[in-house]
Amino acid sequence: MNDSTYYNPADLAKFGKISEWQPEMGRKFFDYYGEVFKEGALSEREKALIALAVAHVVQCPYCIDAYTSDSLQKGADEAQMMEAVHVGAAIKGGATLVHATMMMNKAKELSM
Amino acid sequence: MLCSARFLFLIQFSSIPLPVSLSPTKSLHAQHHALADSSYQLDVLNPAQTAGAAFPAFAAKLRETGLLPLRPTEMTVLQVNVGKMCNQVCKHCHVDAGPDRTEIMTRETMQQCLDALAKTNIEVVDLTGGAPEMNPDFRWFVEGISALGRTTIVRCNLTIIVANKKYHDLPEFFAKHKVRVVSSLPHFAAARTDAQRGEGVFAKSMRALHMLNAVGYGVEGSGLTLDLVYNPSGAFLPGNQLSLEREFKQRLSREHGVTFNNLLAITNLPVSRFLDYLVESGNYEGYMDKLVQAYNPTAAANVMCRSTISVGWDGLLYDCDFNQMLELPVARTASQHIRDFDLESLQARAIVVNQHCYGCTAGAGSSCGGATA
Ligand code: SF4
Ligand code: SF4
């Protein structure tokens, strides 16, 4: 095992072990997690694509690994996956830019 | 200045051509590839315990589930592989089929299949290959099966229908005999289908599907069934069969005006060219691990070999088409050739299992009829 990096792909499979040090909360979290990803008003594939977009926005390598596989498995194609990431990127970029209105308000308030 | 220089870099970067996966044009057999040898495939699937990375034996898993020895239930399907010749060379093909394969079932062996059928109540004959339609006696055989009042399934790769003028009337021929057509279409996106089945396959498949729809296949109320087979184009398991079916129906009808009946989600088994792909791409261990982790006892109880018998192009009998390709014949206690077909000894046999069987028991299970659990 290469322990000279913070992230190790093999650690993804150990996710469940977080329950060992706090079984009650761990169990509740994983029950909830399982419930969230079940087919509901949104299909499993739509949920996988949302998770993929969010994984990129929070830049979690484990989640990107997991939800790339999951999206493929649920039948998504490359174009859908890339569009999902763009949605995440657009919201992230948009969230930065929309705050510019605060900057503009403040600047106007301070200016003659 | 700095800014525009950066953009220039971006433009250059994005103009780098995407890697294009080259479709193989020859079978492993024609390439004299090590994996063309079934005993070598079994070696890869069964590394010595000392070599490490050994997965638990499939037989041991079955024992835990209380299914060992694995026994047949009722024989309802006779699956006949009428030859390895195919107009395609799909990357995942467990038959290692292709235009260069010459193994073809003779009319004499087909007659032995019909004789065996006549002695039993087996209702369905599932014709596979290769491209079964390329066997010169294919139509004769289907007529014989119809004459016995049994149903034929043909595993039609779609492109064969448009490959040559002599195949253009296949849809009418199928309709005349009420053949159930089962066709592979790994994805509703052209790129994903072509990556697995070869350049241009998607477009040709759409043409063939339109021809099948035109004679009533996949059209409600026609009584003509057209099922599509989804199998993952890569080292991952199929998703939920029903959700995939919904998505396929929506996309194919909206984008291509194509309709069909059911989608069968089938897991790729680590045999022949798919095994080669797994090993070559470094996905073998990860994929086997996925299959083993996803072992499902319900799927194990419903594996298709319990209700099917598989006939090879030369008349030899196998528990399934995968065992056929791995050259693992039915147990010696049973009749081993179609000419000696004996239902009783076959029903009493123990099914031969190996590590590739994990592909049938993973997740929702997999068979020639799709999910099993
Ligand atoms: S998967 Fe089917 S269509 Fe493709 S090469 Fe094999 S037999 Fe032919
Ligand atoms: S690979 Fe064949 S023998 Fe093994 S479980 Fe599947 S159908 Fe049965």
Side-chain angles (χ1 to χ4, degrees):
Chain A
M1 191 182 101
N2 177 8
D3 49 12
S4 64
T5 61
Y6 284 110
Y7 286 114
N8 182 344
D11 287 342
L12 176 57
K14 298 181 196 154
F15 189 12
K17 289 201 184 345
I18 66 149
S19 299
E20 284 174 10
W21 290 5
Q22 221 315 339
E24 188 55 19
M25 291 182 191
R27 186 185 58 73
K28 284 187 169 158
F29 171 78
F30 285 113
D31 282 353
Y32 168 73
Y33 197 99
E35 194 63 34
V36 165
F37 281 97
K38 271 192 197 149
E39 183 106 0
L42 291 174
S43 69
E44 287 184 340
R45 192 181 38 81
E46 286 163 333
K47 288 180 181 182
L49 286 167
I50 293 170
L52 183 70
V54 176
H56 281 78
V57 173
V58 300
Q59 290 172 323
C60 166
Y62 298 123
C63 311
I64 293 173
D65 180 334
Y67 286 98
T68 300
S69 309
D70 199 45
S71 297
L72 287 170
Q73 192 162 323
K74 301 282 153 60
D77 66 6
E78 286 88 338
Q80 292 175 327
M81 289 159 67
M82 189 58 86
E83 282 183 28
V85 177
H86 275 289
V87 171
I91 294 297
K92 203 168 186 179
T96 303
L97 289 170
V98 74
H99 284 81
T101 58
M102 277 173 81
M103 174 268 283
M104 290 167 82
N105 289 343
K106 189 70 188 172
K108 281 178 192 158
E109 186 188 310
L110 296 176
S111 304
M112 293 177 77
Chain B
M1 276 314 286
L2 232 170
C3 205
S4 64
R6 259 194 218 148
F7 269 112
L8 204 68
F9 167 74
L10 272 178
I11 290 163
Q12 280 170 348
F13 185 72
S14 63
S15 67
I16 295 171
L18 290 165
V20 183
S21 51
L22 291 171
S23 307
T25 49
K26 278 186 173 177
S27 65
L28 296 174
H29 178 80
Q31 294 173 45
H32 304 289
H33 193 293
L35 280 172
D37 178 356
S38 64
S39 59
Y40 181 62
Q41 293 184 49
L42 288 167
D43 283 350
V44 173
L45 288 164
N46 292 281
Q49 210 76 28
T50 47
F55 294 102
F58 183 76
K61 274 275 190 220
L62 280 187
R63 187 177 302 116
E64 277 171 35
T65 316
L67 286 167
L68 200 74
L70 189 60
R71 300 284 185 197
T73 49
E74 193 195 347
M75 196 185 291
T76 55
V77 180
L78 185 74
Q79 189 171 61
V80 185
N81 193 312
V82 297
K84 298 188 180 183
M85 193 181 282
C86 190
N87 59 318
Q88 290 186 190
V89 193
C90 305
K91 275 190 189 157
H92 70 298
C93 184
H94 73 271
V95 178
D96 194 23
D100 55 54
R101 299 305 297 261
T102 51
E103 300 91 328
I104 273 284
M105 184 177 275
T106 61
R107 192 181 277 212
E108 189 192 348
T109 309
M110 289 176 174
Q111 184 60 55
Q112 292 166 353
C113 293
L114 295 174
D115 295 345
L117 267 180
K119 288 193 289 185
T120 67
N121 298 320
I122 298 174
E123 268 165 39
V124 176
V125 183
D126 186 344
L127 300 183
T128 187
E133 303 89 339
M134 287 177 90
N135 183 309
D137 293 312
F138 169 76
R139 295 187 195 214
W140 177 86
F141 195 29
V142 173
E143 282 158 6
I145 297 163
S146 286
L148 287 171
R150 315 297 164 92
T151 304
T152 302
I153 293 179
V154 64
R155 302 211 168 248
C156 170
N157 70 14
L158 296 176
T159 61
I160 191 68
I161 297 176
V162 295
N164 185 302
K165 253 217 321 256
K166 66 177 172 187
Y167 299 125
H168 289 355
D169 67 335
L170 277 171
E172 285 87 1
F173 175 78
F174 293 155
K176 183 176 163 212
H177 292 278
K178 291 221 177 325
V179 170
R180 210 179 119 197
V181 178
V182 178
S183 293
S184 272
L185 190 74
H187 212 276
F188 48 76
R192 289 203 76 79
T193 290
D194 289 359
Q196 179 185 103
R197 297 179 75 78
E199 215 39 53
V201 165
F202 185 81
K204 287 182 204 158
S205 301
M206 288 305 121
R207 271 172 59 203
L209 285 171
H210 282 134
M211 288 163 76
L212 286 163
N213 281 168
V215 301
Y217 272 102
V219 179
E220 236 186 82
S222 69
L224 297 173
T225 312
L226 169 61
D227 292 342
L228 294 185
V229 170
Y230 162 86
N231 60 302
S233 26
F236 52 94
L237 299 184
N240 181 281
Q241 184 169 270
L242 273 179
S243 327
L244 286 166
E245 179 180 291
R246 222 174 295 135
E247 177 80 356
F248 265 69
K249 284 201 165 159
Q250 209 181 58
R251 298 286 296 264
L252 288 180
S253 101
R254 193 173 68 203
E255 291 163 25
H256 303 279
V258 161
T259 56
F260 67 96
N261 297 92
N262 308 296
L263 185 81
L264 317 177
I266 299 188
T267 303
N268 291 310
L269 261 67
V271 174
S272 191
R273 292 211 286 263
F274 190 68
L275 178 60
D276 175 51
Y277 156 76
L278 290 174
V279 172
E280 287 295 315
S281 62
N283 277 307
Y284 175 70
E285 301 248 321
Y287 188 73
M288 284 306 288
D289 192 49
K290 267 182 210 169
L291 295 182
V292 174
Q293 295 297 333
Y295 176 82
N296 177 350
T298 310
N302 295 336
V303 283
M304 64 178 170
C305 46
R306 302 188 82 185
S307 54
T308 309
I309 197 83
S310 154
V311 190
W313 67 275
D314 51 3
L316 289 173
L317 300 180
Y318 301 88
D319 298 298
C320 73
D321 205 52
F322 301 110
N323 283 11
Q324 183 179 141
M325 299 315 147
L326 290 169
E327 294 179 88
L328 297 170
V330 288
R332 286 183 173 282
T333 55
S335 46
Q336 293 204 301
H337 194 282
I338 190 71
R339 79 171 92 81
D340 311 315
F341 186 90
D342 169 49
L343 190 62
E344 206 176 317
S345 69
L346 285 165
Q347 287 302 89
R349 81 194 193 276
I351 292 163
V352 178
V353 295
N354 208 297
Q355 296 304 81
H356 62 295
C357 296
Y358 275 116
C360 293
T361 57
S366 178
S367 72
C368 286
T372 55

